[in-house]
């Protein structure tokens, strides 16, 4: 698995983090798993789930269970990383 320079994330993890950060910054909400899957040209939602879990375990995302959908939020460390790497 290839890690991005200076971030410790894979290219796909960084791409997902960017999509989530952009959605939160521009629309005030996280894109749905299906929106993320389409944006990343992935075949299944399971692929998104794996990437989300890796970012959560890395301390970059928090997941809040919602009635209609889960809400993904970037941690302060992730916002700092996003601002310096984006």
């Amino acid at each position: 698995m290839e890690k991005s320079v200076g971030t410790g994330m894979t290219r796909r993890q960084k791409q997902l983090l960017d999509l989530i950060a952009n959605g939160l910054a521009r629309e005030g909400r996280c894109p749905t798993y299906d929106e993320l899957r389409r944006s990343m040209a992935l075949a299944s939602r399971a692929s998104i789930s794996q990437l989300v879990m890796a970012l959560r375990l890395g301390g970059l995302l928090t997941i809040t269970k919602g009635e209609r959908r889960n809400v993904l939020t970037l941690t302060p460390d992730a916002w700092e990383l996003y601002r310096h790497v984006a």
Side-chain angles (χ1 to χ4, degrees):
M1 198 177 304
E2 184 180 328
K3 299 288 183 179
S4 298
V5 175
T7 66
M9 290 184 284
T10 66
R11 180 182 52 81
R12 286 286 197 186
Q13 289 170 346
K14 175 68 171 89
Q15 183 182 8
L16 180 67
L17 184 70
D18 289 345
L19 288 168
I20 293 170
N22 286 332
L24 290 169
R26 291 185 182 148
E27 300 175 26
R29 68 169 185 88
C30 176
T32 65
Y33 277 31
D34 282 332
E35 290 169 337
L36 293 167
R37 180 188 57 78
R38 285 191 300 271
S39 293
M40 295 179 71
L42 296 173
S44 71
R45 286 182 45 177
S47 298
I48 293 296
S49 294
Q50 290 174 348
L51 291 168
V52 165
M53 186 59 63
L55 291 174
R56 187 182 72 76
L57 291 173
L60 298 174
L61 284 180
T62 58
I63 302 172
T64 304
K65 302 287 183 185
E67 287 185 29
R68 295 180 144 229
R69 66 180 192 172
N70 294 338
V71 177
L72 303 176
T73 306
L74 274 64
T75 64
D77 288 342
W79 279 114
E80 189 67 25
L81 178 67
Y82 176 72
R83 281 192 275 274
H84 286 98
V85 178

